[in-house]
Amino acid sequence: MSVLQQQTTGAWVRQQRKAPRRRKTILTASLSLLVFALLAVNIVLGSYTVTIPDFLAMLGGKTIPGASFIVMENKFPQAVLGLLVGASFGVAGAIFQSMLRNPLASPDIIGISYGASATAVAAVVIFGVRGAGVSVAAIVGALAVAMLITALARGRGGSGLILIGIGAAAFMQSAVTFLLSRADINNAQEIMVWLTGSLNSATWERAAILAVALLLVLPFAAAGSRELHGLALGDDTASGLGFNVPRARLLLTIVGVLLAAFPTAAAGPIAFVAFLSGPIAKRLNGGAASVPLSALVGAAIVLAANFVGVNAIPGVSLPVGVVTGALGAPFLLWLLISSNRANQGG
């Protein structure tokens, strides 16, 4: 091969390596702009609309009678909480789906979100816990269920864990139904709204607590990204590449559970956000899984669903989980049907 051919080949290889990076950069910028736009839409538009100059004036400290309270104490914290919740669910779903190499392996499918819900409801109904205690109960429940299904699925692979997780989710859902039947009518109504997944009770305090929690956990997710890419190739391949598979699985499981439990404690188990974010981000990224893109997709889903839920029916504010549930159920059916056809074809 001549020197000119070698130079041409080298330039072509470098160009091929740069192409996916350029695509991902453009995609990340586009999704970031979409999330920012949806955040702004949730704040300034809808059933109560304010102009951008008025909003900027309120940010500067100006008080506009009526508008300041609705925007700064209701719509703004609701939008910020929705962004944080969606991003957290998106990362959690991407971690489990990549680690177990199965699009069904999201926290809301394999029982982790239901574990958080069951312990939170039990804390309210049985022990009368309120406030931060409910959040702590949700986090403890999510960790406990994750450790339980991991122990029961040991040696059975990813598919075994998913099946055991689905069984655990069904059991936890039955437990929640039983607890609700024993609850006071006022408590039951409040719990049902939370179980559906709602941003209606968002406050700056709740958003700040979730933001701090994510700042503490997300660095561990970033640190485990290399191990996550290795596990996505399969345990044997990851071991051959020098990864400590058991340690990596334990770290990523704990991080994924916390990233699912924190938003569940803040806004309830918003259905299908973790399940949808990873596959959508993967499809947009040309078939390559991406945790940051999954976070952006999750944030976009929650913000868009919240705007639709609040404004779709005049005079009625639907919980965001109702909208995401309506989106996720057809996607789940399509995924099951397509997976079944692929297996039959194989």
Side-chain angles (χ1 to χ4, degrees):
M1 183 180 289
S2 66
V3 174
L4 178 60
Q5 288 176 321
Q6 290 177 349
Q7 291 175 344
T8 304
T9 302
W12 181 83
V13 170
R14 288 191 294 272
Q15 184 67 26
Q16 293 303 306
R17 289 176 178 173
K18 289 180 180 178
R21 294 179 184 175
R22 187 182 299 114
R23 175 193 177 95
K24 188 173 181 179
T25 300
I26 294 172
L27 184 57
T28 301
S30 301
L31 285 174
S32 299
L33 287 174
L34 175 62
V35 170
F36 179 79
L38 288 170
L39 183 72
V41 163
N42 273 269
I43 296 171
V44 302
L45 299 181
S47 56
Y48 190 93
T49 302
V50 295
T51 63
I52 293 177
D54 282 346
F55 173 66
L56 294 176
M58 285 184 279
L59 280 180
K62 181 180 178 181
T63 300
I64 301 176
S68 293
F69 178 80
I70 293 173
V71 174
M72 302 304 293
E73 300 300 327
N74 185 3
K75 299 182 72 177
F76 200 177
Q78 194 176 96
V80 171
L81 185 64
L83 185 151
L84 296 173
V85 164
S88 187
F89 274 132
V91 174
I95 286 175
F96 280 103
Q97 288 165 338
S98 297
M99 182 173 63
L100 299 175
R101 296 184 297 152
N102 193 316
L104 290 175
S106 67
D108 42 355
I109 301 295
I110 62 175
I112 293 171
S113 296
Y114 279 113
S117 301
T119 51
V121 173
V124 173
V125 174
I126 299 175
F127 302 105
V129 176
R130 290 290 185 276
V134 178
S135 300
V136 172
I139 294 167
V140 170
L143 285 169
V145 170
M147 295 300 107
L148 176 63
I149 62 176
T150 300
L152 293 174
R154 185 171 297 168
R156 293 181 172 85
S159 298
L161 187 145
I162 292 169
L163 291 174
I164 291 172
I166 291 173
F171 176 80
M172 294 296 172
Q173 193 170 13
S174 300
V176 168
T177 302
F178 171 76
L179 289 168
L180 284 174
S181 69
R182 310 289 295 179
D184 175 79
I185 184 64
N186 294 325
N187 284 342
Q189 192 172 25
E190 182 181 344
I191 290 169
M192 281 301 298
V193 173
W194 182 82
L195 287 172
T196 305
S198 175
L199 301 175
N200 293 340
S201 59
T203 62
W204 283 116
E205 180 184 9
R206 190 170 296 187
I209 292 172
L210 179 57
V212 171
L214 295 183
L215 285 175
L216 294 175
V217 176
L218 285 175
F220 291 97
S225 60
R226 182 171 173 270
E227 284 79 4
L228 184 62
H229 290 306
L231 292 177
L233 300 174
D235 289 358
D236 294 337
T237 303
S239 297
L241 293 172
F243 291 102
N244 186 331
V245 172
R247 186 183 67 184
R249 278 191 177 278
L250 178 62
L251 170 66
L252 290 168
T253 297
I254 293 174
V255 170
V257 169
L258 290 176
L259 288 172
F262 287 143
T264 299
I270 302 176
F272 292 123
V273 177
F275 174 65
L276 290 169
S277 302
I280 292 175
K282 189 174 181 180
R283 178 66 64 88
L284 293 173
N285 198 35
S290 172
V291 171
L293 292 179
S294 298
L296 291 171
V297 171
I301 289 173
V302 173
L303 289 171
N306 184 64
F307 185 78
V308 171
V310 171
N311 300 288
I313 303 175
V316 177
S317 180
L318 295 175
V320 65
V322 172
V323 182
T324 59
L327 292 172
F331 184 82
L332 175 59
L333 291 174
W334 173 82
L335 184 62
L336 291 172
I337 292 170
S338 59
S339 299
N340 186 50
R341 286 177 178 172
N343 291 334
Q344 288 178 350

